[in-house]
Structures are given as structure tokens and as C-alpha cells.
Amino acid sequence: MVKEIERAGIPVVHVCTVVPISLTVGANRIVPAVAIPYPLGNPALEKADEKKLRRRLVEKALKALQTEVDQQTVFEH
């Protein structure tokens, strides 16, 4: 689905917990997430720390969305 959306001219960021799967399906902009049950958070953290974690991941995804890429790119934490 990611590739089809990009083919239509809309940039996409794939936030994922298993990067090799994203690479296999051909996602161009990949942002690694935290863990499978909680991709954008960590309930073991204090509320304020989890909010910082979530914000950092969303900001990284937004930066990736604005980045021109010509090949698959993994935007590390």
C-alpha cells in the first residue's frame, strides 16, 4: 500500500517495528518504532517520558516525510 500511495505522488513514512519487513515491501521512508505491542510508546515509562518518546518519533516521521529520497532510507532514532 505504501508504494501505491507514493506512486500517486503522495510521500509516505512507514513507521514500523520490524524494519526488514518494510524494506521487503519497498517502503521508501522508514522510521523504526519502539516495539510490536506499543509501536509509538512505552507504557513502562513515566507519563512525561512516554510523551517525549512519542513526540520524538512523530517529529522524526515528519522530518522523514519532508526529506527527498531516491532509494529506501531508514531514519534511525
Side-chain angles (χ1 to χ4, degrees):
M1 180 137 204
V2 172
K3 288 179 74 170
E4 292 302 317
I5 295 171
E6 288 223 355
R7 237 180 245 141
I10 302 168
V12 174
V13 175
H14 196 215
V15 179
C16 66
T17 55
V18 185
V19 171
I21 292 174
S22 295
L23 292 168
T24 300
V25 300
N28 286 327
R29 293 173 190 83
I30 303 166
V31 173
V34 178
I36 290 173
Y38 307 104
L40 291 176
N42 181 348
L45 295 175
E46 294 291 325
K47 188 174 182 176
D49 291 333
E50 185 178 26
K51 184 175 181 179
K52 288 178 190 175
L53 171 65
R54 289 175 184 234
R55 177 176 286 279
R56 190 170 58 242
L57 285 168
V58 170
E59 287 175 350
K60 182 162 297 287
L62 289 172
K63 184 175 180 180
L65 191 62
Q66 298 172 26
T67 303
E68 291 291 329
V69 296
D70 57 1
Q71 63 183 9
Q72 290 182 301
T73 305
V74 178
F75 294 82
E76 297 293 335
H77 297 297

